[in-house]
Amino acid sequence: MDDATTSEANSVDRTDGDSAESAHISLPTQHRATGGTVYLVGAGPGDPSLLTVRARTLIETADVILHDALIRNSMVDSLPSGAVVHDVGKRVEYKTPQSEINELLVEHATAGDAVVRLKGGDPFVFGRGGEEAQHLAAHDLPFQIVPGVSSVLAAPSVAGVPLTHRDVSSNFTVITGHETPDKEESALDWTGLSSMVKAGGTLVILMGVRTLDQNVSALREHGAAGDIPVAVVQKATWDGQRVVTGTLDSIVQTVQSEDISAPATTIIGNVSAVREELAECQQSL
Ligand code: SAH
């Protein structure tokens, strides 16, 4: 495979259709948000049509909604006007302290509000959902965890990269790109990850755009071949969705020259090459 980059602007203007489409979904009354309870809700990768019906029902019936930075602007704009909305995102310019988010959850639930904590993707995948649930449990407050479509699954799908494939890969592993190999307390086993990729397995990296070079170097140093295919999916299901592809040896340069930015998900392994067979016929969502 050469290091030709496929860079696609398969972005579609979705902003107009968001609220009109949601109006057609009937929302089950038994899933309505109840006062005094916190709902840790996965919002999916961004496109409102990938919200679950339960998530949509909870959003429509919440008194208070706390959302993170991964919630697309069009989704934030369509939140019900009757709810108090807190943007508690962690962004480069300002990261809302976790302690503040925890306090807000407890404060509102204790006051009897029905609280939706809306998180990108799935609340239990790198979203501190576990910590928030622990905090609520420590305060004896009832909560529900509502799964969402994680970017772990959505980014490869929209890019035409099957995470597993009978002839190519029988497993996938998901890591955070933040645990860079030079980090003293890194909990990742780079020898094991490289062996897994060498054996044909799939490695998915979240939060890894800025640290891609370090992670790729670590895999190479631990024996992963330079020609292993890689796909990077920026803003899956958002306006601005783009996919670039290459190999372990070429991808860092490609990501830089194509100006790929967060949020983006990287998929390393032979499955990334399958997309070449699919790209022509796969329609964007
Ligand atoms: N709980 C989220 C992940 C939070 S960590 C989930 O399940 O999806 C944030 C990382 O998720 C980002 O740095 C990026 O790697 C990935 N991500 C989130 N939304 C994305 C999207 N729309 N497209 C590509 N990657 C995304």
Side-chain angles (χ1 to χ4, degrees), residues 44-46 68 70 119-128 148-152 154-155 205-209 233-238 262-266:
D68 69 18
L70 281 172
K119 289 168 168 294
D122 181 272
F124 272 7
V125 177
F126 297 127
R128 305 232 192 169
V149 179
S150 175
S151 54
V152 171
I205 307 180
L206 265 56
M207 298 180 281
V209 179
V233 189
Q234 169 191 277
K235 297 190 174 135
T237 83
W238 301 36
T265 293
T266 302

Side-chain angles (χ1 to χ4, degrees), residues 205-249:
I205 307 180
L206 265 56
M207 298 180 281
V209 179
R210 268 185 301 125
T211 52
L212 187 63
D213 55 340
Q214 295 164 64
N215 293 324
V216 163
S217 300
L219 290 169
R220 292 288 285 121
E221 279 158 23
H222 289 88
D227 63 356
I228 290 176
V230 183
V232 180
V233 189
Q234 169 191 277
K235 297 190 174 135
T237 83
W238 301 36
D239 298 331
Q241 172 181 305
R242 284 167 75 213
V243 183
V244 296
T245 57
T247 63
L248 272 185
D249 278 350

Side-chain angles (χ1 to χ4, degrees), residues 100-144:
E100 194 180 303
I101 299 172
N102 291 348
E103 272 166 37
L104 277 170
L105 292 175
V106 170
E107 203 177 286
H108 282 293
T110 309
D113 293 329
V115 185
V116 164
R117 171 70 175 108
L118 194 58
K119 289 168 168 294
D122 181 272
F124 272 7
V125 177
F126 297 127
R128 305 232 192 169
E131 289 168 47
E132 291 175 14
Q134 284 174 309
H135 191 77
L136 294 167
H139 285 77
D140 226 4
L141 288 166
F143 59 87
Q144 285 182 12

